[in-house]
Amino acid sequence: MKILGISAFYHDSAAALIENEKIIAAAQEERFTRKKHDSNFPTHAIHYCLEEAHIELQDIDYIVFYDKPYLKFERLLETYLAFAPRGFKSFSKAIPIWIKEKLFQKKLLKDEFKKFSKDLNWNQKLLFAEHHQSHAASAFFPSPFEEAIILTMDGVGEWATTSVAIGKKNSLEVVKELHFPHSLGLLYSAFTYYTGFKVNSGEYKVMGLAPYGNSIFKDLILEKLVHVKQDGTFRLNMDYFDYCTDLRMTNNKFHKLFGTTPRKSDEPLTQRHMDLAASIQAAIEEIILKMTQSLYNEYKIENLCLAGGVALNCVANGKILRDQKFKNIWIQPAAGDAGGALGAAYCCYYLYKNQPRSTPHIKKDKMQGGYLGPQFPQNQVENDLKEAHAKYITLNEDEIIDQTAQALQEGKAVGWFQGRMEFGPRALGNRSILGDARNKTMQKNLNLKVKFRESFRPFAPSVIREEVSNWFELDYDSPYMLLVDSVKNEKQLPMSEEQKKLFGIEKLNIHRSEIPAITHIDYSARIQTVHQDTNPRYHKLISKFKEKTGCPVLVNTSFNVRGEPIVCTPKDAFRCFMGTDLDILVVENCFLKKEEQSLSLKEDYKHKFELD
Amino acid sequence: MVDFLKEFWMFLRVRKKYWLLPIIVMMLLFGTLIVLTQGTAVAPFVYTLF
């Protein structure tokens, strides 16, 4: 049975194709259209999924959309009614779009699919899953657990903002829900907005900024903005938020509480903003931990699955793991809305069609390392590079590994493009920019010259699984870079008395460990463990780097610049290579040096993408 | 459109939200009016209605 899952029309459109239990392909539309968080119908992603499976749309048994538009419309209407007459401005903007288009989403979907194939019986084939059901399914069904508690937290779907489901074999039952407007995702987004970052994409920056600050506003947040009960359930005090009625997140009462108006994106970051980031991060962690602890106490199930945008808060995830209430935790790598496409497909297979679920292996999930996107054979890579007038040499696998490891050792920034593209927001070693984690200037150089992004933003390490516990406090699989833990004590460098006195961003230049490029200001790191069975070539590269330097850790950041979707094709990779200060590009077995390329191919890349 | 109306009626029944119906009908009527009259010509229409 072949099932296509779709997420679209809000943010991060995506398509995922499963054949029975196996994921055949999954990809986000933004990678093909080169438009970050593209929300349009995922035509390109669907084409790719069909191509990967060598089938036509007629061969698909079911198509499942990841949420229910009528339910969402109901929420919208009831919210406007509840707050009327406030909110008219927002109402007058939102409702015409619904009346014109979104209310008729089924027709919209049918029309789009008719472009693929005219004579299909859509009434039989097109299904809709609930938003949180899709998230929960994406977290449980591909997980390595037979039984688990699934906690889904995001901004909002239809009504639910936080939900708890119990998954057992092929069943998934939502047992609790918290409803809009009380939402952890929106609470975090309110602070993203208030600290001057873009809602829906700047949340990472708030998380990255948090360690520079002190959580001095945490108590104020928990006292005034959100009322948290013993079991972690919560209610927001809507007197401080405007997102139900206005086109902004916070209101004057909120601004008065924290003493100033929201930061504008071009204004400098101050210690206050860092303290705000630290405070909301600490508050969110406290709420989530209360929730997970009470869930364990109630259900006594030792496996936890997480999904929804809030599950991308890897600092909080690390705390749940260290809390040790749950023996195992598994987080869907595409935890945001893109992953909903996969979850929707699984909802159909296991819940609607009641198909049996094979017993999962505790060490092996169904995500295939997250490498579910397109790949390009060597001959096509060479053709594409030739067309782009690139100068390259072709090497065999051992030479590629050796020369890349050598370049990394010399402190070069390497664009590394191999195999199938990752599904989800993280680059996991197939569309990555790599660097030497021991290099003291690497973080600054990569941020400013390669990624064109804020200098405070941390980089994540890739470490081979066998070595993770020698370098980090973590001794657990983290293949999707969704767990944060500390760099091992003996690898840390103590701060001098003078350094301890520094504040906020001044701390940026302190070298905090033997691997300073990936050690955040609080000695933490967002760790990716690299596994021989899911990514043998990347594993081999890091092993070679270790052989040369004694260090099994590389800097791994996504292959893109700020505001650009991660590269998808060899041509995208070459463009990004020529537009930035990357020194080396490795595409499959082709090895390119920047100094050998024609200067005329350089382009102004920095201003090509809208800042995120 | 008939499909849509059928489905929407089913939705209201399942959710037991019949009270939303008059609001939605009014909105659809005005919505259609605005779309058909392209926004600006709607003012006198509305005026004569009331």
Side-chain angles (χ1 to χ4, degrees):
Chain A
M1 190 184 306
K2 297 181 189 76
I3 303 166
L4 184 68
I6 302 284
S7 75
F9 307 132
Y10 293 95
H11 46 92
D12 294 312
S13 289
L17 176 66
I18 61 168
E19 182 170 8
N20 300 329
E21 296 190 278
K22 191 175 183 297
I23 306 167
I24 303 295
Q28 289 133 280
E29 184 70 358
E30 62 161 29
R31 306 289 166 86
F32 303 95
T33 58
R34 313 305 301 149
K35 196 176 138 199
K36 190 99 170 160
H37 303 301
D38 195 345
S39 62
N40 289 310
F41 181 80
T43 309
H44 300 82
I46 295 171
H47 268 297
Y48 157 66
C49 286
L50 297 175
E51 244 170 59
E52 186 70 41
H54 307 291
I55 56 171
E56 303 286 328
L57 200 67
Q58 296 86 290
D59 305 319
I60 299 279
D61 296 284
Y62 291 97
I63 294 173
V64 196
F65 191 68
Y66 84 128
D67 80 7
K68 297 199 173 188
Y70 292 167
L71 269 180
K72 203 170 248 182
F73 185 62
E74 175 194 298
R75 187 249 298 163
L76 226 62
L77 263 188
E78 288 190 28
T79 306
Y80 284 129
L81 281 173
F83 285 90
R86 279 196 297 148
F88 184 74
K89 208 166 114 193
S90 163
F91 173 85
S92 63
K93 288 221 173 207
I95 294 300
I97 301 170
W98 274 87
I99 291 182
K100 252 179 139 173
E101 203 178 276
K102 287 193 171 171
L103 207 46
F104 308 99
Q105 233 163 66
K106 194 168 180 182
K107 187 179 173 306
L108 204 73
L109 286 167
K110 282 182 185 175
D111 290 346
E112 289 290 347
F113 283 119
K114 271 183 191 155
K115 290 179 192 165
F116 286 81
S117 172
K118 273 190 178 148
D119 33 61
L120 281 181
N121 183 0
W122 293 109
N123 288 331
Q124 299 288 321
K125 285 197 172 192
L126 188 56
L127 303 171
F128 293 79
E130 264 186 57
H131 191 96
H132 270 232
Q133 191 186 29
S134 300
H135 274 313
S138 79
F140 175 62
F141 291 126
S143 81
F145 311 137
E146 197 166 313
E147 184 184 30
I149 295 175
I150 304 106
L151 176 61
T152 304
M153 299 167 287
D154 65 359
V156 60
E158 293 96 354
W159 276 105
T161 61
T162 306
S163 67
V164 176
I166 304 294
K168 209 169 189 180
K169 291 186 175 163
N170 73 340
S171 73
L172 180 77
E173 191 194 348
V174 176
V175 289
K176 291 174 196 225
E177 276 184 354
L178 287 175
H179 282 186
F180 183 83
H182 308 291
S183 159
L184 280 188
L186 292 173
L187 173 65
Y188 207 85
S189 291
F191 279 87
T192 306
Y193 166 83
Y194 188 62
T195 46
F197 301 111
K198 234 184 195 174
V199 171
N200 270 342
S201 67
E203 281 74 10
Y204 290 123
K205 300 183 190 178
V206 176
M207 191 173 71
L209 199 59
Y212 291 102
N214 300 309
S215 52
I216 53 174
F217 300 112
K218 185 185 129 190
D219 292 341
L220 192 63
I221 293 171
L222 292 174
E223 186 193 327
K224 298 276 187 191
L225 300 186
V226 51
H227 175 62
V228 189
K229 307 230 167 61
Q230 259 319 305
D231 62 355
T233 53
F234 59 89
R235 282 184 77 79
L236 299 189
N237 183 350
M238 295 312 293
D239 290 347
Y240 291 93
F241 302 94
D242 253 9
Y243 56 80
C244 287
T245 54
D246 209 333
L247 303 170
R248 56 182 192 165
M249 295 299 292
T250 55
N251 61 19
N252 291 338
K253 199 168 173 185
F254 185 104
H255 308 158
K256 218 171 158 186
L257 184 67
F258 293 103
T260 156
T261 50
R263 183 180 79 95
K264 293 195 177 71
S265 59
D266 51 358
E267 282 173 6
L269 281 165
T270 63
Q271 186 60 42
R272 191 176 183 79
H273 300 117
M274 294 168 202
D275 293 341
L276 281 163
S279 306
I280 186 60
Q281 181 63 33
I284 288 273
E285 284 165 13
E286 187 174 314
I287 298 169
I288 294 176
L289 277 179
K290 268 190 178 169
M291 228 184 282
T292 52
Q293 286 164 354
S294 98
L295 285 175
Y296 179 79
N297 292 338
E298 188 173 350
Y299 295 101
K300 301 276 185 248
I301 295 173
E302 58 187 19
N303 303 319
L304 176 71
C305 295
L306 297 172
V310 179
L312 293 170
N313 193 316
C314 36
V315 182
N317 296 344
K319 296 228 162 125
I320 300 172
L321 182 71
R322 284 194 296 284
D323 188 44
Q324 290 187 333
K325 270 279 180 195
F326 289 92
K327 196 171 160 200
N328 305 298
I329 77 169
W330 191 85
I331 307 144
Q332 164 56 241
D337 278 5
L342 181 64
Y346 273 128
C347 278
C348 173
Y349 186 73
Y350 291 116
L351 304 180
Y352 184 69
K353 298 303 289 178
N354 196 23
Q355 294 295 306
R357 181 166 175 249
S358 57
T359 311
H361 189 281
I362 192 71
K363 281 272 161 205
K364 203 167 182 180
D365 63 50
K366 291 198 188 83
M367 293 299 292
Q368 301 158 45
Y371 310 109
L372 300 165
Q375 72 175 339
F376 300 84
Q378 178 66 20
N379 59 349
Q380 190 183 337
V381 169
E382 290 186 31
N383 282 342
D384 285 356
L385 290 177
K386 267 180 210 153
E387 263 178 43
H389 307 290
K391 291 203 175 68
Y392 64 89
I393 49 167
T394 305
L395 305 169
N396 67 31
E397 172 153 329
D398 286 343
E399 291 166 336
I400 275 282
I401 297 290
D402 191 63
Q403 294 214 19
T404 309
Q406 182 65 35
L408 287 165
Q409 189 187 1
E410 288 164 10
K412 296 197 165 125
V414 176
W416 178 252
F417 182 111
Q418 302 288 331
R420 293 185 75 174
M421 184 178 73
E422 299 87 346
F423 179 52
R426 303 268 80 91
L428 301 170
N430 277 6
R431 302 287 186 279
S432 290
I433 290 172
L434 307 177
D436 184 351
R438 305 165 306 152
N439 193 311
K440 288 176 182 158
T441 53
M442 188 58 76
Q443 184 195 7
K444 216 171 182 179
N445 280 349
L446 282 182
N447 264 335
L448 299 177
K449 288 183 177 173
V450 178
K451 304 276 286 189
F452 307 133
R453 64 182 204 181
E454 302 91 333
S455 61
F456 71 83
R457 292 180 65 181
F459 285 108
S462 285
V463 54
I464 48 177
R465 175 63 181 96
E466 300 81 352
E467 288 279 352
V468 66
S469 59
N470 296 331
W471 290 78
F472 302 95
E473 295 299 336
L474 184 83
D475 191 7
Y476 196 80
D477 290 355
S478 176
Y480 307 118
M481 213 183 256
L482 285 168
L483 294 171
V484 164
D485 213 328
S486 297
V487 170
K488 199 112 190 151
N489 252 334
E490 57 262 35
K491 307 283 181 196
Q492 294 181 5
L493 301 176
M495 275 198 270
S496 67
E497 283 308 310
E498 221 164 84
Q499 286 172 330
K500 277 183 191 161
K501 284 181 202 147
L502 293 175
F503 268 106
I505 216 95
E506 295 165 340
K507 290 184 195 160
L508 185 67
N509 295 325
I510 305 171
H511 300 120
R512 294 162 299 269
S513 78
E514 288 177 32
I515 36 178
I518 57 87
T519 310
H520 206 6
I521 195 74
D522 56 352
Y523 295 103
S524 70
R526 192 179 67 203
I527 304 158
Q528 181 204 1
T529 54
V530 178
H531 301 248
Q532 168 98 47
D533 57 337
T534 51
N535 199 339
R537 194 173 250 208
Y538 192 35
H539 190 275
K540 210 168 165 184
L541 174 69
I542 303 176
S543 302
K544 178 59 93 179
F545 184 74
K546 188 200 162 199
E547 197 183 300
K548 284 178 185 286
T549 63
C551 173
V553 185
L554 288 179
V555 178
N556 173 9
T557 180
S558 50
F559 198 156
N560 60 352
V561 299
R562 183 180 172 188
E564 180 193 17
I566 297 176
V567 299
C568 177
T569 65
K571 278 185 179 167
D572 297 337
F574 184 69
R575 263 195 301 271
C576 188
F577 174 59
M578 291 311 294
T580 60
D581 271 358
L582 277 174
D583 303 300
I584 302 287
L585 173 64
V586 186
V587 187
E588 296 298 340
N589 282 3
C590 296
F591 193 87
L592 293 82
K593 289 182 182 169
K594 178 61 73 53
E595 70 252 25
E596 288 171 3
Q597 309 303 320
S598 160
L599 284 177
S600 64
L601 296 172
K602 275 207 156 198
E603 53 179 302
D604 176 25
Y605 210 62
K606 195 173 176 176
H607 302 104
K608 212 171 163 181
F609 299 95
E610 198 190 324
L611 294 184
D612 58 355
Chain B
M1 195 61 181
V2 179
D3 278 350
F4 166 75
L5 291 174
K6 263 195 214 160
E7 248 170 33
F8 208 86
W9 177 243
M10 266 165 64
F11 166 74
L12 293 176
R13 267 176 53 191
V14 172
R15 297 284 299 166
K16 295 196 174 60
K17 299 252 164 128
Y18 299 106
W19 61 272
L20 282 175
L21 191 65
I23 302 168
I24 292 163
V25 168
M26 286 306 281
M27 270 178 18
L28 281 175
L29 279 176
F30 277 99
T32 320
L33 204 65
I34 290 166
V35 170
L36 289 178
T37 53
Q38 288 302 308
T40 47
V42 80
F45 252 123
V46 175
Y47 188 74
T48 50
L49 268 179
F50 295 97

